[in-house]
């Protein structure tokens, strides 16, 4: 008997997230983080490794947009840049984290960037 599958797959979110520094940030930070997790490769594909994705600032703006009535609002580019910069350097603060690893690393690419989610394999392993 086949078990039912979730269309499009799934990501694991640790309960520890509510105690993390990103939880205290504005909602845009969490929305960008969830988008990056959801779009990251779950296995090696072409030139991208597990936990990597190719994304542009405009794609993030579109993905993190919301509606006010019938009007679509998008976060400004500088807010997206600030979120990406914070995700790159978030553990430099003296928060409760003992880990000095950033949440992401980025590499410039043509028309966007390659994002590597640090510790992806550890947090996306159902055995953990």
């Amino acid at each position: 008997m086949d078990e039912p599958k979730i269309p499009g797959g799934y990501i694991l979110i640790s309960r520890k997230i509510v105690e993390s520094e990103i939880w205290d940030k504005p909602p845009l930070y969490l929305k960008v983080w969830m988008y990056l997790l959801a779009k990251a490769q779950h296995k090696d594909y072409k030139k991208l490794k597990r936990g990597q994705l190719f994304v542009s600032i405009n794609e993030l703006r579109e993905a993190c947009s919301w509606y006010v009535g019938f009007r679509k609002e998008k976060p400004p580019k500088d807010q997206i840049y600030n979120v990406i910069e914070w995700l790159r350097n978030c553990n430099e603060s003296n928060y409760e984290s003992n880990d000095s690893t950033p949440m992401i690393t980025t590499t410039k690419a043509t028309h966007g960037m390659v994002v590597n989610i640090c510790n992806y394999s550890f947090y996306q392993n159902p055995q953990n």
Side-chain angles (χ1 to χ4, degrees):
M1 185 167 114
D2 285 338
E3 294 182 30
K5 295 187 177 185
I6 301 170
Y10 64 91
I11 58 171
L12 299 173
I13 304 297
S14 170
R15 293 175 195 235
K16 189 173 128 177
I17 197 166
V18 296
E19 300 166 5
S20 68
E21 192 173 352
I22 198 168
W23 196 258
D24 296 331
K25 291 292 201 182
L28 180 62
Y29 286 71
L30 197 57
K31 197 168 187 179
V32 169
W33 177 239
M34 290 296 126
Y35 182 78
L36 294 176
L37 282 177
K39 291 297 183 178
Q41 294 296 319
H42 68 282
K43 60 183 177 182
D44 293 358
Y45 179 71
K46 295 186 179 178
K47 293 184 179 183
L48 294 175
K49 303 287 183 207
R50 178 174 162 84
Q52 289 184 329
L53 70 144
F54 177 81
V55 70
S56 67
I57 296 298
N58 285 333
E59 180 183 344
L60 286 171
R61 288 183 69 212
E62 189 66 36
C64 295
S65 62
W66 67 94
Y67 285 92
V68 178
F70 291 102
R71 187 181 74 237
K72 188 174 193 177
E73 293 284 333
K74 292 182 187 178
K77 284 183 181 181
D78 64 327
Q79 282 186 354
I80 298 292
Y81 282 119
N82 289 341
V83 172
I84 295 295
E85 188 62 31
W86 182 83
L87 289 170
R88 274 194 232 134
N89 303 310
C90 67
N91 287 327
E92 290 179 359
S93 68
N94 52 1
Y95 209 73
E96 297 169 5
S97 176
N98 297 333
D99 190 11
S100 62
T101 308
M103 293 173 81
I104 65 169
T105 57
T106 58
T107 306
K108 275 187 178 182
T110 307
H111 305 294
M113 63 184 144
V114 175
V115 176
N116 180 44
I117 298 175
C118 302
N119 297 326
Y120 181 86
S121 292
F122 177 77
Y123 285 104
Q124 294 304 311
N125 184 350
Q127 279 72 40
N128 288 337

